[in-house]
Amino acid sequence: SLLTMSRPAGSARRRGISMAGELASRGAATTGLQGRVKTNLLPCSVASAHLLIVDSDRNRALLIKGLLLASGDDVTVVTDVDAALAVARSVRPDVAIVSSAVTDASALVAILAHDPETRKLAVLALADPAAAPALIAAGADEVIDIPVQPAQLAAAIHRLLDATLLC
């Protein structure tokens, strides 16, 4: 079964308005491509999102990277907490995709959610159902189930971008 968990509406660490009206007024559209989601939903002048994948399973990380590159996003892959923090602080990606397989994944999510340098970064966690509540409590904006379904991943990323990339 697929699991998607989000932070309760009143507990979000970032406040933002829905971009639905803004996107509609700018003519955004979604087009399905052979079961994959391809979008041009990024607001304002943003041509593509920069995404950080943090996963100790290199094969899964590269598979997710391939899916995201096909959508036109810029993607950085790291396999540990220290590298993730260094990239988050220097590159400042739009969304961090953090796998629960990473050692200290909950600690990483908590740092990303609360550190003044990274707290505006949206955090999407990938986890089995048992690990999801701890990642939400640590500060993840959303959690989706492993194994990752491409359409579910794309939808979650776009929800997070809609909430954070405000003009």
Side-chain angles (χ1 to χ4, degrees), residues 21-74:
E22 177 71 16
L23 293 171
S25 70
R26 292 174 186 251
T30 302
T31 307
L33 288 176
Q34 302 166 345
R36 288 185 279 170
V37 175
K38 178 71 175 168
T39 63
N40 64 339
L41 294 179
L42 297 179
C44 311
S45 61
V46 178
S48 67
H50 190 133
L51 308 171
L52 169 62
I53 300 171
V54 187
D55 197 337
S56 57
D57 181 335
R58 189 88 175 146
N59 290 330
R60 179 176 46 226
L62 293 176
L63 178 64
I64 293 170
K65 178 180 180 177
L67 292 169
L68 298 174
L69 287 173
S71 295
D73 296 312
D74 295 321

Side-chain angles (χ1 to χ4, degrees), residues 11 15 26 28-29 50 68 72 78 91 110 122 132 135 143-144 148 151-152 158 167:
S11 69
R15 300 286 183 234
R26 292 174 186 251
H50 190 133
L68 298 174
V78 298
V91 176
L135 291 163
V143 177
I144 61 174
V148 175
Q152 186 182 27
H158 287 288
C167 300

Side-chain angles (χ1 to χ4, degrees), residues 50 86-95 115-119 121:
H50 190 133
V87 170
R89 290 177 176 144
S90 63
V91 176
R92 302 203 186 266
D94 301 303
V95 178
D115 184 294
E117 291 183 70
T118 61
R119 68 176 170 225
L121 169 65

